[in-house]
Amino acid sequence: MLVSIYRYNPETDDKPYTQSLEIKLPEGKDLMVLDVLALAKQEDPSVAYRRSCREGVCGSDGMNINGTNGLACITPVSNVVGPDNKLTLRPLPGLPVIRDLVVDLTTFYKQFEKVKPYLVNDQPAPDKERLQSPEERKKLDGLYECILCACCSTSCPSFWWNPEKFIGPAGLLQAYRFLADSRDTSTEQRLEALGDPFSVFRCRGIMNCVSVCPKGLNPTRAIGHIKSMLVS
Amino acid sequence: MVGKLNYLHNRGVLDWVIQRTSAALLAIYTIGMIGFLIANPNLEFETWRNLFSSPLMRVFSLVTLLFLCGHMWVGMWTVITDYLTPLQLGSYAKPIQSLCQIGIISLIIFYAIWGTFVFWSI
């Protein structure tokens, strides 16, 4: 299989280039893209990428695989490679490249931090825990599962254009996760902080975030709920 | 969907409400005009004049014009701040954005005055 990898080392390269490697895959096995990258690294040990859990939990190996963002560890090669038997790997778009497939996620995390992704409750703490009914708890399904792999935000044109001002789908999914939480008491303050023209309202409902989310989450729906809360 | 609008003092919420309400009003106006044109296949100047000389139609047209201006401003401001950013234009972004905004505001004011004059002179 022909594997093309985006290569760029700011310390030694003037500009990025694509390196093509011919990788021999074991027969009768449908490898994950991360396995192919490991084989590529055997060919050329200088290829840089992030990885950790290798089972879609840590969110480290988000990258652009044949034009679509995804996690290399849970993307089977057969799902992304066409009849040309070619695999093209690029870093997540719209963020500065540290090296090869490793991007600088500082902007992404800054936006995440803005939404105060933690429970705020001004009531005295109970002896054991703050209880929720099963119905209240159910509202958090489809929100808390985000692993912050950045596949969604880096596939969003609004995030490419205004990365410093638009919070992006990942951050907004978490913003709604706490707005929807019955134990959180700062709903008003959270909504006030989101009312400017950029933080939420730059979402145009393109839904790239939904189509790339490796966990099958729906940030567009969460953003819609935030907008509804802001105009209600 | 739109309720008490407790957060309307926020610019983003206000823009969103303007864009949606004006879009709904423009759609109603357009459908009304299409209906009128279908109902009057051999339209003559007198019929056209009678339609626009009624006070109700004049006020409706002027309100629609006002909403159209609001719709234009929110839409164009969004386009400018999406595409003419420091990422594309570096330090020139701010002055270019300001220049475009002044141009668009001038054009919108001109359209509003011209439109009012047209509707009121029928």
Side-chain angles (χ1 to χ4, degrees), chain A residues 160-163 165 187-188 191-192 195-198 201-202 204 224 227-232, chain B residues 1-7 9-13 15-17 77-78 81-83 85 87-88 94:
Chain A
W160 299 338
W161 295 327
N162 287 295
K165 294 177 180 174
T187 305
E188 214 167 290
L191 289 172
E192 281 292 348
D196 65 281
F198 287 94
F201 288 102
R202 279 300 145 129
R204 303 272 164 242
K227 285 179 180 174
S228 296
M229 289 176 91
L230 280 165
V231 294
S232 62
Chain B
M1 186 176 175
V2 177
K4 287 178 192 165
L5 295 172
N6 290 330
Y7 300 94
H9 56 276
N10 290 292
R11 166 85 194 277
V13 182
D15 282 0
W16 192 88
V17 171
W77 183 82
T78 306
T81 48
D82 263 351
Y83 292 103
T85 65
L87 275 179
Q88 285 89 21
K94 276 278 164 199

mmCIF file of all heavy atoms in Angstrom, chain A residues 160-163 165 187-188 191-192 195-198 201-202 204 224 227-232, chain B residues 1-7 9-13 15-17 77-78 81-83 85 87-88 94:
data_model
loop_
_atom_site.group_PDB
_atom_site.id
_atom_site.type_symbol
_atom_site.label_atom_id
_atom_site.label_comp_id
_atom_site.label_asym_id
_atom_site.label_seq_id
_atom_site.Cartn_x
_atom_site.Cartn_y
_atom_site.Cartn_z
ATOM 1 N N TRP A 160 -11.731 27.349 11.818
ATOM 2 C CA TRP A 160 -10.540 27.731 11.037
ATOM 3 C C TRP A 160 -10.457 29.254 10.919
ATOM 4 O O TRP A 160 -9.380 29.825 10.981
ATOM 5 C CB TRP A 160 -10.604 27.156 9.616
ATOM 6 C CG TRP A 160 -10.648 25.673 9.521
ATOM 7 C CD1 TRP A 160 -10.230 24.772 10.456
ATOM 8 C CD2 TRP A 160 -11.146 24.905 8.420
ATOM 9 N NE1 TRP A 160 -10.448 23.495 10.007
ATOM 10 C CE2 TRP A 160 -11.007 23.534 8.757
ATOM 11 C CE3 TRP A 160 -11.697 25.228 7.192
ATOM 12 C CZ2 TRP A 160 -11.393 22.513 7.911
ATOM 13 C CZ3 TRP A 160 -12.085 24.206 6.339
ATOM 14 C CH2 TRP A 160 -11.934 22.879 6.698
ATOM 15 N N TRP A 161 -11.639 29.898 10.693
ATOM 16 C CA TRP A 161 -11.637 31.334 10.417
ATOM 17 C C TRP A 161 -11.443 32.162 11.683
ATOM 18 O O TRP A 161 -10.808 33.200 11.658
ATOM 19 C CB TRP A 161 -12.948 31.744 9.739
ATOM 20 C CG TRP A 161 -13.129 31.155 8.390
ATOM 21 C CD1 TRP A 161 -12.145 30.884 7.492
ATOM 22 C CD2 TRP A 161 -14.352 30.748 7.765
ATOM 23 N NE1 TRP A 161 -12.693 30.333 6.356
ATOM 24 C CE2 TRP A 161 -14.036 30.249 6.494
ATOM 25 C CE3 TRP A 161 -15.689 30.772 8.165
ATOM 26 C CZ2 TRP A 161 -14.997 29.771 5.614
ATOM 27 C CZ3 TRP A 161 -16.648 30.297 7.296
ATOM 28 C CH2 TRP A 161 -16.307 29.800 6.036
ATOM 29 N N ASN A 162 -12.054 31.730 12.785
ATOM 30 C CA ASN A 162 -11.973 32.510 14.023
ATOM 31 C C ASN A 162 -11.586 31.618 15.202
ATOM 32 O O ASN A 162 -12.350 31.482 16.162
ATOM 33 C CB ASN A 162 -13.320 33.197 14.295
ATOM 34 C CG ASN A 162 -13.572 34.358 13.360
ATOM 35 O OD1 ASN A 162 -12.861 35.365 13.376
ATOM 36 N ND2 ASN A 162 -14.578 34.228 12.512
ATOM 37 N N PRO A 163 -10.407 31.012 15.138
ATOM 38 C CA PRO A 163 -10.039 30.067 16.212
ATOM 39 C C PRO A 163 -9.892 30.714 17.590
ATOM 40 O O PRO A 163 -9.997 30.035 18.602
ATOM 41 C CB PRO A 163 -8.700 29.489 15.737
ATOM 42 C CG PRO A 163 -8.153 30.482 14.778
ATOM 43 C CD PRO A 163 -9.333 31.176 14.149
ATOM 44 N N LYS A 165 -11.868 33.182 18.649
ATOM 45 C CA LYS A 165 -13.143 33.726 19.142
ATOM 46 C C LYS A 165 -14.280 32.698 19.172
ATOM 47 O O LYS A 165 -15.118 32.742 20.062
ATOM 48 C CB LYS A 165 -13.567 34.902 18.255
ATOM 49 C CG LYS A 165 -12.632 36.096 18.338
ATOM 50 C CD LYS A 165 -13.099 37.169 17.373
ATOM 51 C CE LYS A 165 -12.204 38.376 17.403
ATOM 52 N NZ LYS A 165 -12.578 39.340 16.360
ATOM 53 N N THR A 187 -26.109 28.527 35.413
ATOM 54 C CA THR A 187 -26.652 28.565 34.047
ATOM 55 C C THR A 187 -26.664 29.986 33.478
ATOM 56 O O THR A 187 -26.250 30.213 32.336
ATOM 57 C CB THR A 187 -28.092 27.992 34.039
ATOM 58 O OG1 THR A 187 -28.039 26.694 34.617
ATOM 59 C CG2 THR A 187 -28.663 27.900 32.655
ATOM 60 N N GLU A 188 -27.131 30.933 34.302
ATOM 61 C CA GLU A 188 -27.248 32.315 33.827
ATOM 62 C C GLU A 188 -25.883 32.896 33.438
ATOM 63 O O GLU A 188 -25.735 33.477 32.369
ATOM 64 C CB GLU A 188 -27.863 33.158 34.933
ATOM 65 C CG GLU A 188 -28.745 34.273 34.397
ATOM 66 C CD GLU A 188 -29.582 34.870 35.508
ATOM 67 O OE1 GLU A 188 -30.498 34.199 35.994
ATOM 68 O OE2 GLU A 188 -29.254 35.996 35.873
ATOM 69 N N LEU A 191 -24.582 31.310 30.256
ATOM 70 C CA LEU A 191 -25.244 31.815 29.045
ATOM 71 C C LEU A 191 -24.794 33.242 28.730
ATOM 72 O O LEU A 191 -24.584 33.589 27.567
ATOM 73 C CB LEU A 191 -26.768 31.743 29.193
ATOM 74 C CG LEU A 191 -27.358 30.328 29.150
ATOM 75 C CD1 LEU A 191 -28.842 30.345 29.488
ATOM 76 C CD2 LEU A 191 -27.152 29.666 27.782
ATOM 77 N N GLU A 192 -24.640 34.066 29.777
ATOM 78 C CA GLU A 192 -24.153 35.444 29.567
ATOM 79 C C GLU A 192 -22.805 35.428 28.862
ATOM 80 O O GLU A 192 -22.548 36.233 27.975
ATOM 81 C CB GLU A 192 -24.012 36.179 30.905
ATOM 82 C CG GLU A 192 -25.299 36.704 31.481
ATOM 83 C CD GLU A 192 -25.918 37.850 30.685
ATOM 84 O OE1 GLU A 192 -25.251 38.408 29.809
ATOM 85 O OE2 GLU A 192 -27.100 38.144 30.921
ATOM 86 N N GLY A 195 -23.084 34.832 24.934
ATOM 87 C CA GLY A 195 -24.017 35.635 24.132
ATOM 88 C C GLY A 195 -23.393 36.536 23.083
ATOM 89 O O GLY A 195 -24.116 37.208 22.335
ATOM 90 N N ASP A 196 -22.078 36.571 22.981
ATOM 91 C CA ASP A 196 -21.442 37.451 21.984
ATOM 92 C C ASP A 196 -21.610 36.860 20.574
ATOM 93 O O ASP A 196 -22.053 35.731 20.422
ATOM 94 C CB ASP A 196 -19.952 37.616 22.325
ATOM 95 C CG ASP A 196 -19.213 36.313 22.206
ATOM 96 O OD1 ASP A 196 -19.308 35.479 23.140
ATOM 97 O OD2 ASP A 196 -18.578 36.084 21.179
ATOM 98 N N PRO A 197 -21.267 37.625 19.528
ATOM 99 C CA PRO A 197 -21.524 37.113 18.165
ATOM 100 C C PRO A 197 -20.619 35.957 17.730
ATOM 101 O O PRO A 197 -20.868 35.356 16.694
ATOM 102 C CB PRO A 197 -21.251 38.339 17.276
ATOM 103 C CG PRO A 197 -21.205 39.506 18.170
ATOM 104 C CD PRO A 197 -20.791 39.020 19.507
ATOM 105 N N PHE A 198 -19.574 35.659 18.488
ATOM 106 C CA PHE A 198 -18.606 34.661 18.018
ATOM 107 C C PHE A 198 -18.674 33.315 18.748
ATOM 108 O O PHE A 198 -18.637 32.268 18.103
ATOM 109 C CB PHE A 198 -17.176 35.211 18.139
ATOM 110 C CG PHE A 198 -16.857 36.257 17.106
ATOM 111 C CD1 PHE A 198 -17.013 37.595 17.401
ATOM 112 C CD2 PHE A 198 -16.418 35.902 15.843
ATOM 113 C CE1 PHE A 198 -16.731 38.579 16.445
ATOM 114 C CE2 PHE A 198 -16.143 36.870 14.879
ATOM 115 C CZ PHE A 198 -16.301 38.199 15.186
ATOM 116 N N PHE A 201 -22.558 31.757 18.179
ATOM 117 C CA PHE A 201 -23.345 32.089 16.978
ATOM 118 C C PHE A 201 -22.556 31.985 15.671
ATOM 119 O O PHE A 201 -23.131 32.156 14.604
ATOM 120 C CB PHE A 201 -23.980 33.478 17.136
ATOM 121 C CG PHE A 201 -25.105 33.469 18.122
ATOM 122 C CD1 PHE A 201 -24.931 33.954 19.411
ATOM 123 C CD2 PHE A 201 -26.334 32.919 17.792
ATOM 124 C CE1 PHE A 201 -25.963 33.920 20.336
ATOM 125 C CE2 PHE A 201 -27.378 32.873 18.708
ATOM 126 C CZ PHE A 201 -27.186 33.383 19.976
ATOM 127 N N ARG A 202 -21.258 31.701 15.732
ATOM 128 C CA ARG A 202 -20.528 31.461 14.480
ATOM 129 C C ARG A 202 -20.795 30.055 13.941
ATOM 130 O O ARG A 202 -20.356 29.725 12.837
ATOM 131 C CB ARG A 202 -19.027 31.662 14.672
ATOM 132 C CG ARG A 202 -18.625 33.111 14.630
ATOM 133 C CD ARG A 202 -18.991 33.719 13.297
ATOM 134 N NE ARG A 202 -19.390 35.097 13.457
ATOM 135 C CZ ARG A 202 -18.904 36.112 12.767
ATOM 136 N NH1 ARG A 202 -18.024 35.922 11.831
ATOM 137 N NH2 ARG A 202 -19.351 37.331 12.986
ATOM 138 N N ARG A 204 -22.621 27.606 11.935
ATOM 139 C CA ARG A 204 -23.559 27.738 10.817
ATOM 140 C C ARG A 204 -24.286 26.418 10.534
ATOM 141 O O ARG A 204 -24.887 26.263 9.481
ATOM 142 C CB ARG A 204 -22.815 28.183 9.563
ATOM 143 C CG ARG A 204 -22.055 29.455 9.714
ATOM 144 C CD ARG A 204 -22.935 30.654 9.406
ATOM 145 N NE ARG A 204 -22.325 31.861 9.906
ATOM 146 C CZ ARG A 204 -22.867 32.642 10.828
ATOM 147 N NH1 ARG A 204 -24.017 32.340 11.357
ATOM 148 N NH2 ARG A 204 -22.254 33.720 11.229
ATOM 149 N N GLY A 224 -27.406 23.869 19.064
ATOM 150 C CA GLY A 224 -28.801 24.284 18.846
ATOM 151 C C GLY A 224 -29.522 24.488 20.176
ATOM 152 O O GLY A 224 -30.267 25.451 20.349
ATOM 153 N N LYS A 227 -28.352 27.749 21.712
ATOM 154 C CA LYS A 227 -28.999 28.893 21.054
ATOM 155 C C LYS A 227 -30.440 29.030 21.545
ATOM 156 O O LYS A 227 -30.900 30.134 21.809
ATOM 157 C CB LYS A 227 -28.966 28.705 19.536
ATOM 158 C CG LYS A 227 -27.590 28.948 18.918
ATOM 159 C CD LYS A 227 -27.639 28.728 17.418
ATOM 160 C CE LYS A 227 -26.280 28.974 16.779
ATOM 161 N NZ LYS A 227 -26.256 28.637 15.350
ATOM 162 N N SER A 228 -31.136 27.905 21.679
ATOM 163 C CA SER A 228 -32.526 27.951 22.168
ATOM 164 C C SER A 228 -32.573 28.532 23.580
ATOM 165 O O SER A 228 -33.465 29.316 23.906
ATOM 166 C CB SER A 228 -33.140 26.551 22.184
ATOM 167 O OG SER A 228 -33.214 26.051 20.889
ATOM 168 N N MET A 229 -31.609 28.141 24.419
ATOM 169 C CA MET A 229 -31.591 28.659 25.793
ATOM 170 C C MET A 229 -31.326 30.156 25.801
ATOM 171 O O MET A 229 -31.872 30.892 26.617
ATOM 172 C CB MET A 229 -30.508 27.941 26.614
ATOM 173 C CG MET A 229 -30.840 26.500 26.928
ATOM 174 S SD MET A 229 -29.509 25.663 27.796
ATOM 175 C CE MET A 229 -29.952 25.984 29.505
ATOM 176 N N LEU A 230 -30.502 30.612 24.848
ATOM 177 C CA LEU A 230 -30.168 32.039 24.800
ATOM 178 C C LEU A 230 -31.336 32.909 24.328
ATOM 179 O O LEU A 230 -31.397 34.091 24.661
ATOM 180 C CB LEU A 230 -28.958 32.264 23.870
ATOM 181 C CG LEU A 230 -27.589 31.967 24.480
ATOM 182 C CD1 LEU A 230 -26.524 31.861 23.404
ATOM 183 C CD2 LEU A 230 -27.201 33.038 25.499
ATOM 184 N N VAL A 231 -32.239 32.341 23.554
ATOM 185 C CA VAL A 231 -33.376 33.151 23.076
ATOM 186 C C VAL A 231 -34.677 32.798 23.803
ATOM 187 O O VAL A 231 -35.748 33.174 23.355
ATOM 188 C CB VAL A 231 -33.575 33.035 21.546
ATOM 189 C CG1 VAL A 231 -32.421 33.625 20.803
ATOM 190 C CG2 VAL A 231 -33.829 31.596 21.134
ATOM 191 N N SER A 232 -34.549 32.053 24.918
ATOM 192 C CA SER A 232 -35.781 31.725 25.644
ATOM 193 C C SER A 232 -35.834 32.468 26.977
ATOM 194 O O SER A 232 -34.868 33.068 27.399
ATOM 195 C CB SER A 232 -35.863 30.227 25.866
ATOM 196 O OG SER A 232 -34.781 29.818 26.654
ATOM 197 N N MET B 1 -40.380 29.271 19.643
ATOM 198 C CA MET B 1 -38.976 29.073 20.015
ATOM 199 C C MET B 1 -38.424 30.311 20.755
ATOM 200 O O MET B 1 -37.703 30.201 21.721
ATOM 201 C CB MET B 1 -38.159 28.810 18.756
ATOM 202 C CG MET B 1 -36.736 28.445 19.053
ATOM 203 S SD MET B 1 -35.875 28.030 17.542
ATOM 204 C CE MET B 1 -34.244 27.790 18.185
ATOM 205 N N VAL B 2 -38.781 31.487 20.250
ATOM 206 C CA VAL B 2 -38.290 32.706 20.899
ATOM 207 C C VAL B 2 -39.172 33.026 22.085
ATOM 208 O O VAL B 2 -40.379 33.138 21.966
ATOM 209 C CB VAL B 2 -38.263 33.888 19.907
ATOM 210 C CG1 VAL B 2 -37.830 35.157 20.603
ATOM 211 C CG2 VAL B 2 -37.339 33.570 18.746
ATOM 212 N N GLY B 3 -38.563 33.156 23.264
ATOM 213 C CA GLY B 3 -39.337 33.371 24.483
ATOM 214 C C GLY B 3 -39.164 34.773 25.023
ATOM 215 O O GLY B 3 -39.337 35.756 24.311
ATOM 216 N N LYS B 4 -38.765 34.849 26.303
ATOM 217 C CA LYS B 4 -38.695 36.156 26.982
ATOM 218 C C LYS B 4 -37.498 36.995 26.543
ATOM 219 O O LYS B 4 -37.438 38.182 26.818
ATOM 220 C CB LYS B 4 -38.615 35.924 28.492
ATOM 221 C CG LYS B 4 -39.927 35.456 29.095
ATOM 222 C CD LYS B 4 -39.706 35.216 30.573
ATOM 223 C CE LYS B 4 -40.885 34.482 31.190
ATOM 224 N NZ LYS B 4 -40.542 33.941 32.504
ATOM 225 N N LEU B 5 -36.561 36.395 25.903
ATOM 226 C CA LEU B 5 -35.359 37.079 25.414
ATOM 227 C C LEU B 5 -34.596 37.795 26.544
ATOM 228 O O LEU B 5 -34.305 38.979 26.467
ATOM 229 C CB LEU B 5 -35.732 38.072 24.301
ATOM 230 C CG LEU B 5 -36.282 37.429 23.028
ATOM 231 C CD1 LEU B 5 -36.789 38.484 22.074
ATOM 232 C CD2 LEU B 5 -35.226 36.584 22.340
ATOM 233 N N ASN B 6 -34.276 37.018 27.573
ATOM 234 C CA ASN B 6 -33.536 37.574 28.706
ATOM 235 C C ASN B 6 -32.103 37.961 28.348
ATOM 236 O O ASN B 6 -31.462 38.724 29.054
ATOM 237 C CB ASN B 6 -33.495 36.543 29.846
ATOM 238 C CG ASN B 6 -34.847 36.366 30.479
ATOM 239 O OD1 ASN B 6 -35.652 37.302 30.498
ATOM 240 N ND2 ASN B 6 -35.135 35.168 30.963
ATOM 241 N N TYR B 7 -31.619 37.404 27.253
ATOM 242 C CA TYR B 7 -30.210 37.642 26.896
ATOM 243 C C TYR B 7 -30.069 38.534 25.665
ATOM 244 O O TYR B 7 -29.034 38.569 25.031
ATOM 245 C CB TYR B 7 -29.499 36.295 26.678
ATOM 246 C CG TYR B 7 -29.531 35.433 27.912
ATOM 247 C CD1 TYR B 7 -30.519 34.482 28.097
ATOM 248 C CD2 TYR B 7 -28.592 35.630 28.921
ATOM 249 C CE1 TYR B 7 -30.576 33.719 29.250
ATOM 250 C CE2 TYR B 7 -28.638 34.867 30.084
ATOM 251 C CZ TYR B 7 -29.632 33.918 30.236
ATOM 252 O OH TYR B 7 -29.673 33.179 31.391
ATOM 253 N N HIS B 9 -29.693 41.613 25.357
ATOM 254 C CA HIS B 9 -28.688 42.676 25.456
ATOM 255 C C HIS B 9 -27.325 42.210 24.951
ATOM 256 O O HIS B 9 -26.426 43.015 24.765
ATOM 257 C CB HIS B 9 -28.581 43.175 26.902
ATOM 258 C CG HIS B 9 -28.283 42.078 27.871
ATOM 259 N ND1 HIS B 9 -29.275 41.284 28.405
ATOM 260 C CD2 HIS B 9 -27.116 41.620 28.369
ATOM 261 C CE1 HIS B 9 -28.720 40.388 29.218
ATOM 262 N NE2 HIS B 9 -27.405 40.559 29.205
ATOM 263 N N ASN B 10 -27.178 40.919 24.723
ATOM 264 C CA ASN B 10 -25.928 40.409 24.150
ATOM 265 C C ASN B 10 -25.988 40.550 22.632
ATOM 266 O O ASN B 10 -26.971 40.161 21.997
ATOM 267 C CB ASN B 10 -25.730 38.936 24.505
ATOM 268 C CG ASN B 10 -25.421 38.755 25.969
ATOM 269 O OD1 ASN B 10 -24.372 39.144 26.452
ATOM 270 N ND2 ASN B 10 -26.364 38.196 26.699
ATOM 271 N N ARG B 11 -24.932 41.083 22.051
ATOM 272 C CA ARG B 11 -24.910 41.386 20.616
ATOM 273 C C ARG B 11 -25.188 40.140 19.759
ATOM 274 O O ARG B 11 -25.913 40.217 18.756
ATOM 275 C CB ARG B 11 -23.535 41.994 20.283
ATOM 276 C CG ARG B 11 -23.174 42.091 18.842
ATOM 277 C CD ARG B 11 -23.737 43.358 18.195
ATOM 278 N NE ARG B 11 -23.641 43.223 16.745
ATOM 279 C CZ ARG B 11 -22.555 43.486 16.038
ATOM 280 N NH1 ARG B 11 -21.478 43.947 16.637
ATOM 281 N NH2 ARG B 11 -22.544 43.319 14.732
ATOM 282 N N GLY B 12 -24.635 39.003 20.156
ATOM 283 C CA GLY B 12 -24.826 37.784 19.366
ATOM 284 C C GLY B 12 -26.287 37.362 19.321
ATOM 285 O O GLY B 12 -26.813 36.987 18.271
ATOM 286 N N VAL B 13 -26.951 37.452 20.477
ATOM 287 C CA VAL B 13 -28.366 37.062 20.563
ATOM 288 C C VAL B 13 -29.204 38.035 19.735
ATOM 289 O O VAL B 13 -30.086 37.624 18.969
ATOM 290 C CB VAL B 13 -28.841 37.055 22.038
ATOM 291 C CG1 VAL B 13 -30.295 36.603 22.130
ATOM 292 C CG2 VAL B 13 -27.954 36.152 22.878
ATOM 293 N N ASP B 15 -28.296 39.922 17.167
ATOM 294 C CA ASP B 15 -28.054 39.670 15.735
ATOM 295 C C ASP B 15 -28.839 38.451 15.254
ATOM 296 O O ASP B 15 -29.441 38.458 14.193
ATOM 297 C CB ASP B 15 -26.557 39.419 15.475
ATOM 298 C CG ASP B 15 -25.765 40.713 15.471
ATOM 299 O OD1 ASP B 15 -26.376 41.773 15.670
ATOM 300 O OD2 ASP B 15 -24.532 40.645 15.281
ATOM 301 N N TRP B 16 -28.813 37.399 16.066
ATOM 302 C CA TRP B 16 -29.490 36.146 15.704
ATOM 303 C C TRP B 16 -30.992 36.371 15.566
ATOM 304 O O TRP B 16 -31.619 35.923 14.612
ATOM 305 C CB TRP B 16 -29.194 35.092 16.779
ATOM 306 C CG TRP B 16 -29.576 33.705 16.404
ATOM 307 C CD1 TRP B 16 -28.818 32.791 15.742
ATOM 308 C CD2 TRP B 16 -30.826 33.050 16.674
ATOM 309 N NE1 TRP B 16 -29.512 31.611 15.582
ATOM 310 C CE2 TRP B 16 -30.741 31.753 16.142
ATOM 311 C CE3 TRP B 16 -31.996 33.436 17.313
ATOM 312 C CZ2 TRP B 16 -31.787 30.834 16.235
ATOM 313 C CZ3 TRP B 16 -33.038 32.527 17.406
ATOM 314 C CH2 TRP B 16 -32.928 31.241 16.865
ATOM 315 N N VAL B 17 -31.556 37.120 16.540
ATOM 316 C CA VAL B 17 -33.007 37.390 16.506
ATOM 317 C C VAL B 17 -33.355 38.266 15.294
ATOM 318 O O VAL B 17 -34.339 38.009 14.589
ATOM 319 C CB VAL B 17 -33.457 38.049 17.842
ATOM 320 C CG1 VAL B 17 -34.894 38.547 17.742
ATOM 321 C CG2 VAL B 17 -33.333 37.059 18.986
ATOM 322 N N TRP B 77 -21.814 41.858 7.967
ATOM 323 C CA TRP B 77 -20.853 41.951 9.058
ATOM 324 C C TRP B 77 -20.261 40.567 9.359
ATOM 325 O O TRP B 77 -19.066 40.423 9.592
ATOM 326 C CB TRP B 77 -21.529 42.531 10.308
ATOM 327 C CG TRP B 77 -20.567 42.720 11.439
ATOM 328 C CD1 TRP B 77 -19.705 43.769 11.627
ATOM 329 C CD2 TRP B 77 -20.342 41.820 12.536
ATOM 330 N NE1 TRP B 77 -18.967 43.577 12.766
ATOM 331 C CE2 TRP B 77 -19.333 42.392 13.344
ATOM 332 C CE3 TRP B 77 -20.897 40.601 12.903
ATOM 333 C CZ2 TRP B 77 -18.866 41.779 14.505
ATOM 334 C CZ3 TRP B 77 -20.430 39.981 14.060
ATOM 335 C CH2 TRP B 77 -19.428 40.579 14.855
ATOM 336 N N THR B 78 -21.118 39.559 9.297
ATOM 337 C CA THR B 78 -20.654 38.184 9.546
ATOM 338 C C THR B 78 -19.675 37.749 8.465
ATOM 339 O O THR B 78 -18.627 37.166 8.768
ATOM 340 C CB THR B 78 -21.859 37.216 9.594
ATOM 341 O OG1 THR B 78 -22.797 37.705 10.540
ATOM 342 C CG2 THR B 78 -21.444 35.822 9.976
ATOM 343 N N THR B 81 -16.326 39.520 8.994
ATOM 344 C CA THR B 81 -15.536 39.020 10.127
ATOM 345 C C THR B 81 -15.163 37.537 9.993
ATOM 346 O O THR B 81 -14.350 37.026 10.761
ATOM 347 C CB THR B 81 -16.282 39.260 11.466
ATOM 348 O OG1 THR B 81 -17.633 38.826 11.318
ATOM 349 C CG2 THR B 81 -16.268 40.717 11.842
ATOM 350 N N ASP B 82 -15.770 36.854 9.028
ATOM 351 C CA ASP B 82 -15.367 35.469 8.751
ATOM 352 C C ASP B 82 -14.176 35.425 7.800
ATOM 353 O O ASP B 82 -13.247 34.637 7.985
ATOM 354 C CB ASP B 82 -16.525 34.699 8.102
ATOM 355 C CG ASP B 82 -17.321 33.891 9.123
ATOM 356 O OD1 ASP B 82 -16.879 33.807 10.272
ATOM 357 O OD2 ASP B 82 -18.383 33.359 8.759
ATOM 358 N N TYR B 83 -14.230 36.248 6.767
ATOM 359 C CA TYR B 83 -13.244 36.119 5.677
ATOM 360 C C TYR B 83 -12.110 37.135 5.738
ATOM 361 O O TYR B 83 -11.043 36.885 5.189
ATOM 362 C CB TYR B 83 -13.943 36.219 4.316
ATOM 363 C CG TYR B 83 -14.837 35.041 4.024
ATOM 364 C CD1 TYR B 83 -16.214 35.147 4.152
ATOM 365 C CD2 TYR B 83 -14.298 33.814 3.661
ATOM 366 C CE1 TYR B 83 -17.037 34.053 3.907
ATOM 367 C CE2 TYR B 83 -15.113 32.727 3.417
ATOM 368 C CZ TYR B 83 -16.480 32.852 3.534
ATOM 369 O OH TYR B 83 -17.284 31.775 3.296
ATOM 370 N N THR B 85 -10.017 38.275 8.128
ATOM 371 C CA THR B 85 -9.479 38.152 9.494
ATOM 372 C C THR B 85 -7.955 38.275 9.477
ATOM 373 O O THR B 85 -7.330 38.165 8.415
ATOM 374 C CB THR B 85 -9.862 36.776 10.085
ATOM 375 O OG1 THR B 85 -9.214 35.766 9.315
ATOM 376 C CG2 THR B 85 -11.356 36.546 10.059
ATOM 377 N N LEU B 87 -5.893 36.168 10.151
ATOM 378 C CA LEU B 87 -5.310 34.947 9.589
ATOM 379 C C LEU B 87 -5.025 35.112 8.095
ATOM 380 O O LEU B 87 -4.026 34.619 7.584
ATOM 381 C CB LEU B 87 -6.281 33.774 9.774
ATOM 382 C CG LEU B 87 -6.235 33.023 11.094
ATOM 383 C CD1 LEU B 87 -7.266 31.931 11.114
ATOM 384 C CD2 LEU B 87 -4.852 32.432 11.344
ATOM 385 N N GLN B 88 -5.954 35.806 7.396
ATOM 386 C CA GLN B 88 -5.775 35.991 5.946
ATOM 387 C C GLN B 88 -4.989 37.257 5.631
ATOM 388 O O GLN B 88 -4.218 37.294 4.682
ATOM 389 C CB GLN B 88 -7.137 36.078 5.236
ATOM 390 C CG GLN B 88 -7.881 34.776 5.074
ATOM 391 C CD GLN B 88 -8.787 34.482 6.261
ATOM 392 O OE1 GLN B 88 -9.147 35.378 6.997
ATOM 393 N NE2 GLN B 88 -9.124 33.219 6.440
ATOM 394 N N LYS B 94 -7.803 44.699 10.371
ATOM 395 C CA LYS B 94 -8.652 45.671 11.085
ATOM 396 C C LYS B 94 -9.024 46.856 10.192
ATOM 397 O O LYS B 94 -10.204 47.180 10.055
ATOM 398 C CB LYS B 94 -7.959 46.143 12.375
ATOM 399 C CG LYS B 94 -8.175 45.194 13.522
ATOM 400 C CD LYS B 94 -9.538 45.420 14.199
ATOM 401 C CE LYS B 94 -9.866 44.216 15.067
ATOM 402 N NZ LYS B 94 -11.282 44.129 15.399
#
